[in-house]
Amino acid sequence: MSSTLIERPAPVAAPADAAPRRRTRVFALPEARWAAAATTLFLTALPLQLTGAPAWAWGPLYALAYATGGWEPAWAGLRALREKTLDVDLLMIVAALGAAAVGQVMDGALLIVIFATSGALEALATARTADSVRGLLDLAPATATRLLPGGAEETVPTAELAVGDTVLVRPGERIGADGRVVAGAGEVDQATITGEPLPVAKQAGDEVFAGTLNGTGALRVTVERDASDSVIARIVRMVEEASETKAPTQLFIEKVEQRYSLGMVAATLAVFAVPLVFGAALTGSLLRAMTFMIVASPCAVVLATMPPLLSAIANAGRHGVLVKSAVVMERLGQVDAVALDKTGTLTEGTPRLTDLRPLAGSGLTEDGLLTLAAAAEHPSEHPIARAVVDAARTRGLTLPPAEDFASTPGAGITAAVGGRILALGAPARMIGGRTDPASARAAVLAAELEESGRTAVLVEADGVPVGVLGIADRLRPDAASTVTALTALTGRTPMLVTGDNPRAAARLAAEVGITDVRAGLLPQDKVAAVREQEAAGRRTLVLGDGVNDAPALAAAHAGIAMGRAGSDLALETADAVIVRDELATVPAVVALSRRARSLVVQNLVIASVFISALVVWDLAATLPLPLGVLGHEGSTVLVGLNGLRLLRESAWTRTRTEGAR
């Protein structure tokens, strides 16, 4: 009975199915509800006051506006004060109460309303940032069809799926778990996870992700990860953890904020007291001081840093790059040198058949040689055997059955195929000292392949060499373009650091355009290479995947690990993880980090200009309290919204374009 390896079906369009979006409703936020209540009360009281209604009609409404809009920041400010920290929110409330104390009840209420509205907008922006990542969880279906040992089906929640379970994914359904196809073939739309614009052909042996959309073919998928460890869940978890960290810039601002706030209180008292000494009216001096306290408040400065960095983290997470903290996102934009590992990083880390060399006189074509070799290797689990069988699958070859299969570790395999005894193994071991013409030709071919960096495999039939196979680790398709992009971003060509032999390293480096090659390195040698760059004043980004890369990842200014091929130690040590091993995302995330840093600078400039202009206006002339409130809160909202620009899809597209230049 023959074994037929079927070609992948022609691509078919998957049905359109927009990814569900999780979006926080405005009034689901308590800040928004309190702000709306304060605004309603203010807008009810204002016309009553302006039309001359008695104070008892509009006064209680203003008081309720103060209470609904100001109690939360006031309480937070008092809690901070108990911890000996001066909160800017508390200063705003004090300014509003001060305005009311001198009879400017409407102005104080306006401050409370705008301040509460600003807080609601900030809370909404933060919630939408979280929505953009947590919404990925909605991609995974709530239930899946699990196949029982007897062939029966049962519908179970996807959270209950365990590693080793087999699920049936019908046409048009979303895949319920990360796993591997064991039967069936079809097209899967992975755009929501990988960003690939076209459906990807899937068949037995291919990996699939939870939340992706199956096309026209039915698939049987073996679950390989628990729901809590799926690609989607890892993205969500790591981005949420990153959101709890603070970048050095933010920490510096918060440290300065305390001293600034204390200085601002002292300056406010001076603005109030000095004019009184020179005979100014109490009300006018107090209003000027309250206005000064509002406009000099550093709210916009405090908000300048984290929204851009967190937005960048969320956007990168949506595209398969897990940045572990805001500190890392800030560091990635600072790198000016890159060190790349070879195997599993620039290459796929999986052997591939690259050459088929049938010997003259063997009577075999390339397909004939591959058919015999793949049939003999079919029962083997060796990586080279898988490479040979995968090549036969790609060509759609029909394999005759193999009998009497035997494998000797380190030596090779033998099997009976079609009445012939086949043997595959290392040429040097199999040929030995033989000098017959076939063996001599095989030795020459093997030497040529090994000289070009391939692993040579000799194929013998009935003791006579019939061909040589070339096996090599395949270069990732985007390796050369990634090296070019990183060179453009950093101004210098990346360095190749590998434990591989110099000949293989030099060959690969030439293919991707790397000139600085460090080969035959042990883990400590890779660390030394990174420290050499750091000693030269360069901030180095290391990209690797293996246990031997972990020390260099830890020593670098920033380290990125390959998510699929990466060892657990490398994934834990690295500052960021590329979930789908797409090298092109590395320059993109570096460019995104630089964009976030530029927005931080923009925000600091905007905040400084507004604060300076309003302070000068208040001290040199008379700044009306409502205008001061509008200017101060307007700048805070503007800075927050400017930082959230990096949440947009166009921000990632733009950085991909910049990184490709």
Side-chain angles (χ1 to χ4, degrees):
M1 182 176 177
S2 65
S3 169
T4 302
L5 301 178
I6 304 171
E7 292 184 5
R8 294 177 181 235
V12 294
D17 183 32
R21 291 181 64 87
R22 182 189 299 229
R23 195 172 178 84
T24 299
R25 290 177 293 116
V26 175
F27 289 106
L29 299 171
E31 295 91 343
R33 295 195 294 272
W34 289 118
T39 302
T40 302
L41 290 165
F42 177 80
L43 293 178
T44 304
L46 183 61
L48 292 175
Q49 181 188 15
L50 296 178
T51 54
W56 60 263
W58 47 264
L61 294 175
Y62 277 138
L64 287 173
Y66 275 80
T68 54
W71 79 268
E72 202 167 35
W75 181 246
L78 289 172
R79 283 203 308 261
L81 202 59
R82 287 179 58 186
E83 298 174 3
K84 299 181 180 180
T85 301
L86 186 58
D87 196 306
V88 223
D89 292 359
L90 184 60
L91 297 181
M92 294 298 99
I93 301 301
V94 169
L97 294 176
V102 295
Q104 303 292 325
V105 179
M106 186 270 289
D107 291 341
L110 178 62
L111 171 58
I112 290 290
V113 167
I114 296 180
F115 189 64
T117 303
S118 172
L121 288 174
E122 291 174 24
L124 181 62
T126 302
R128 292 285 166 84
T129 302
D131 291 345
S132 68
V133 177
R134 284 201 306 268
L136 287 170
L137 290 174
D138 293 329
L139 294 172
T143 60
T145 302
R146 182 164 59 190
L147 299 178
L148 301 177
E153 300 177 4
E154 64 173 348
T155 301
V156 297
T158 52
E160 294 182 7
L161 292 175
V163 174
D165 284 348
T166 300
V167 295
L168 174 64
V169 186
R170 295 184 172 87
E173 291 183 346
R174 288 192 178 272
I175 296 170
D178 286 5
R180 199 166 296 275
V181 178
V182 292
E187 300 285 321
V188 175
D189 182 355
Q190 300 185 148
T192 52
I193 301 296
T194 67
E196 295 167 285
L198 297 175
V200 179
K202 298 289 183 182
Q203 64 177 26
D206 290 336
E207 187 178 20
V208 292
F209 302 107
T212 54
L213 180 66
N214 188 24
T216 56
L219 302 175
R220 294 193 178 203
V221 176
T222 295
V223 178
E224 293 189 338
R225 296 190 189 97
D226 291 330
S228 61
D229 196 38
S230 68
V231 169
I232 292 174
R234 287 166 65 191
I235 290 173
V236 173
R237 184 167 60 250
M238 294 187 74
V239 172
E240 287 179 339
E241 289 172 359
S243 299
E244 296 173 1
T245 65
K246 294 179 180 180
T249 303
Q250 179 71 12
L251 292 173
F252 174 76
I253 287 173
E254 291 181 358
K255 183 178 180 181
V256 171
E257 176 195 357
Q258 287 301 304
R259 299 176 182 176
Y260 179 90
S261 297
L262 291 172
M264 189 183 69
V265 171
T268 300
L269 293 174
V271 170
F272 171 65
V274 170
L276 288 179
V277 173
F278 290 94
L282 175 64
T283 301
S285 296
L286 186 56
L287 272 178
R288 184 186 295 272
M290 291 300 102
T291 305
F292 176 84
M293 178 184 288
I294 292 166
V295 300
S297 172
C299 296
V301 174
V302 173
L303 198 63
T305 303
M306 291 310 288
L309 294 175
L310 294 183
S311 298
I313 290 171
N315 203 337
R318 289 204 309 268
H319 293 89
V321 183
L322 306 185
V323 180
K324 294 184 178 180
S325 69
V327 176
V328 174
M329 180 53 77
E330 190 171 44
R331 282 183 179 176
L332 285 171
Q334 299 169 345
V335 299
D336 54 9
V338 180
L340 301 171
D341 174 47
K342 174 183 169 286
T343 305
T345 302
L346 286 176
T347 66
E348 294 179 347
T350 304
R352 304 282 181 178
L353 180 69
T354 58
D355 298 87
L356 283 165
R357 302 287 182 88
L359 290 179
S362 66
L364 295 175
T365 62
E366 288 189 359
D367 279 358
L369 176 62
L370 180 56
T371 298
L372 290 178
E377 293 278 22
H378 194 267
S380 175
E381 291 298 321
H382 193 279
I384 288 181
R386 288 198 295 270
V388 175
V389 174
D390 286 345
R393 178 187 293 120
T394 301
R395 295 193 179 204
L397 301 179
T398 299
L399 304 184
E403 299 175 350
D404 301 326
F405 174 83
S407 174
T408 304
I413 64 101
T414 59
V417 177
R420 307 173 75 179
I421 302 300
L422 297 180
L424 284 81
R429 182 192 62 82
M430 295 177 67
I431 294 174
R434 294 184 340 214
T435 57
D436 59 279
S439 296
R441 287 194 296 271
V444 171
L445 287 177
E448 289 177 357
L449 291 173
E450 290 172 350
E451 184 66 28
S452 63
R454 311 288 201 262
T455 297
V457 177
L458 179 65
V459 182
E460 285 186 350
D462 296 325
V464 178
V466 294
V468 182
L469 310 179
I471 308 291
D473 188 2
R474 190 166 63 186
L475 190 68
R476 293 187 187 276
D478 50 358
S481 59
T482 298
V483 169
T484 301
L486 289 172
T487 302
L489 283 170
T490 62
R492 57 175 53 87
T493 305
M495 174 175 59
L496 181 63
V497 289
T498 177
D500 208 345
N501 67 79
R503 187 173 58 187
R507 180 183 59 83
L508 180 133
E511 288 186 47
V512 299
I514 293 178
T515 55
D516 187 358
V517 180
R518 316 284 180 92
L521 302 184
L522 296 174
Q524 60 267 31
D525 300 323
K526 292 187 177 185
V527 173
V530 171
R531 287 180 175 162
E532 176 188 319
Q533 296 292 315
E534 299 284 343
R538 297 168 189 161
R539 295 174 175 175
T540 306
L541 168 66
V542 171
L543 182 61
D545 71 298
V547 172
N548 62 333
D549 297 317
L553 290 169
H557 184 72
I560 299 180
M562 308 297 283
R564 286 184 189 169
S567 67
D568 290 342
L569 181 58
L571 297 180
E572 289 296 325
T573 306
D575 300 308
V577 177
I578 306 173
V579 176
R580 297 180 295 272
D581 289 2
E582 295 176 359
L583 279 177
T585 58
V586 176
V589 77
V590 171
L592 185 67
S593 172
R594 293 186 177 183
R595 179 67 178 151
R597 285 165 55 82
S598 70
L599 286 187
V600 169
V601 173
Q602 284 181 24
N603 283 346
L604 291 173
V605 170
I606 291 170
S608 301
V609 167
F610 267 85
I611 290 174
S612 301
L614 293 172
V615 166
V616 169
W617 187 351
D618 184 55
L619 295 178
T622 301
L623 174 63
L625 181 60
L627 282 181
V629 170
L630 286 172
H632 173 266
E633 298 301 331
S635 67
T636 303
V637 172
L638 180 62
V639 161
L641 295 178
N642 189 44
L644 295 178
R645 287 162 54 196
L646 292 185
L647 279 176
R648 297 180 301 183
E649 184 66 25
S650 58
W652 180 261
T653 305
R654 178 178 175 182
T655 56
R656 286 292 292 261
T657 304
E658 290 175 354
R661 289 175 184 170

